[in-house]
Amino acid sequence: MALALDLASKRQREPSDYPYHEEYRTRWADNDQFSHLNNPIYGVLIDSIINSYLITQLPQPYSPQNSPFVGLVANTYCDYFGSCQYPGVLDVGLRVVKVGRGSVMWEVAFWQDGGSVKVVGGFVQIWVNRSTNKVEGEGVPKSIRDGIAPLLRGSEQDPSTPSSRKADDDTPLNKTAKL
């Protein structure tokens, strides 16, 4: 069964719901005047773990500087259920919610010192030709699509679930992919 995207379901996220993890050691400069991580820091970390995965974990590593395709952020969100702070180490989990023809919906969750999830956020990335800035051909490049397939665990497109359906041109993500 796919992980639901409503707030109550996100509040119940566990580290095991995310196939890929990285640790992040918080810095003094990450805190705001309320002694918790400043909200924009989560956006930076979401972007960082996604790009780290694409650059270091794919069978054919993605090269942001040299690839003819680039993933542009079309939508972002963060839902806050608690706060993280300095000093500390964050457990940052990554999964793919959905892959459309030209788009990927990513989800990232944050935990600190064990316990319940503190933040769930993510973004929709539209894969375009670097020269034309348009979704072309196969949309999400095959090397990216194949490389992120393990991150679909727990999604409606989970390849290990017999009833998983493949994205097609009628998915909401593809409707937002017109740049």
Side-chain angles (χ1 to χ4, degrees), residues 11 48 117 125 129 150 156 171:
R11 188 181 298 275
S48 294
V117 67
Q125 195 175 47
N129 179 296
E156 66 183 38
T171 64

Side-chain angles (χ1 to χ4, degrees), residues 6-26:
D6 60 280
L7 287 175
S9 296
K10 288 179 187 176
R11 188 181 298 275
Q12 303 303 313
R13 294 289 200 262
E14 297 290 334
S16 60
D17 294 328
Y18 296 82
Y20 180 74
H21 290 259
E22 289 186 357
E23 286 188 344
Y24 174 75
R25 182 167 302 282
T26 60

Side-chain angles (χ1 to χ4, degrees), residues 64-78:
Q65 295 80 18
N66 300 316
S67 174
F69 295 93
V70 63
L72 301 178
V73 176
N75 177 289
T76 66
Y77 72 92
C78 263

Side-chain angles (χ1 to χ4, degrees), residues 90-121:
L90 305 182
D91 175 13
V92 185
L94 174 66
R95 75 185 195 100
V96 171
V97 175
K98 190 177 208 174
V99 180
R101 186 180 77 78
S103 60
V104 177
M105 183 176 185
W106 302 89
E107 184 178 282
V108 177
F110 298 83
W111 294 266
Q112 187 173 22
D113 301 325
S116 60
V117 67
K118 304 291 187 189
V119 176
V120 176

Side-chain angles (χ1 to χ4, degrees), residues 16-174:
S16 60
D17 294 328
Y18 296 82
Y20 180 74
H21 290 259
E22 289 186 357
E23 286 188 344
Y24 174 75
R25 182 167 302 282
T26 60
R27 304 166 306 159
W28 173 254
D30 293 338
N31 273 4
D32 62 17
Q33 66 183 2
F34 305 110
S35 298
H36 59 69
L37 256 60
N38 203 349
N39 292 350
I41 298 300
Y42 295 102
V44 169
L45 295 176
I46 290 167
D47 191 39
S48 294
I49 191 172
I50 291 167
N51 283 294
S52 175
Y53 184 87
L54 292 171
I55 294 166
T56 67
Q57 301 299 310
L58 299 184
Q60 294 179 301
Y62 173 66
S63 172
Q65 295 80 18
N66 300 316
S67 174
F69 295 93
V70 63
L72 301 178
V73 176
N75 177 289
T76 66
Y77 72 92
C78 263
D79 297 312
Y80 300 92
F81 307 111
S83 61
C84 299
Q85 63 278 326
Y86 171 87
V89 177
L90 305 182
D91 175 13
V92 185
L94 174 66
R95 75 185 195 100
V96 171
V97 175
K98 190 177 208 174
V99 180
R101 186 180 77 78
S103 60
V104 177
M105 183 176 185
W106 302 89
E107 184 178 282
V108 177
F110 298 83
W111 294 266
Q112 187 173 22
D113 301 325
S116 60
V117 67
K118 304 291 187 189
V119 176
V120 176
F123 58 65
V124 174
Q125 195 175 47
I126 309 301
W127 284 86
V128 300
N129 179 296
R130 182 185 300 275
S131 302
T132 64
N133 212 29
K134 295 182 187 216
V135 175
E136 293 181 357
E138 65 187 349
V140 177
K142 183 172 178 7
S143 61
I144 302 291
R145 188 178 296 275
D146 291 348
I148 64 175
L151 299 181
L152 284 165
R153 188 181 78 216
S155 77
E156 66 183 38
Q157 296 173 327
D158 186 337
S160 67
T161 305
S163 64
S164 69
R165 64 177 179 83
K166 301 293 180 203
D168 57 29
D169 287 336
D170 294 325
T171 64
L173 291 180
N174 285 318

